Amino acid sequence: MFFQENTNGVLLRVRLSPNAAQCRIGGIWANVDGEEYLKISVISVPEKGKANQELIRFLSKILGVAKSDLKIVSGELDRQKKILISGETALLCKKLQNLREE
């Protein structure tokens, strides 16, 4: 699973592809250890945090949460990121599960 509940909210694993034609979700990607990541493409280039900012805006919009509820906790300068989402965990998990099925 590309997300998991914890005491602070939901931890989401994302594999970011910057410099794309459009912002979109591109399915699930697994690393060599079998850890799943949600593939997300953004239009912005990966310089000065622009791609990360666009990722936060995009996730905020599709999950219906405030941008302040999303925080990159790992992978700030990497394609593979871990994002902590604060809020109602049951509702967030349901929304994230629906993303997997799209």
Side-chain angles (χ1 to χ4, degrees), residues 58-73:
F58 181 66
L59 283 172
S60 170
K61 182 179 175 184
I62 63 172
L63 295 175
V65 298
K67 289 184 284 190
S68 60
D69 289 341
L70 298 160
K71 181 180 179 190
I72 298 174
V73 293

Side-chain angles (χ1 to χ4, degrees), residues 2 14-17 20 22-30 37-42 58 62 99-102:
F2 60 92
V14 171
R15 182 162 200 279
L16 184 64
S17 295
Q22 64 181 358
C23 290
R24 69 182 196 91
I25 295 174
I28 305 298
W29 176 82
Y37 289 76
L38 183 65
K39 292 191 322 185
I40 298 180
S41 300
V42 296
F58 181 66
I62 63 172
L99 292 179
R100 179 187 191 104
E101 296 164 1
E102 286 181 359

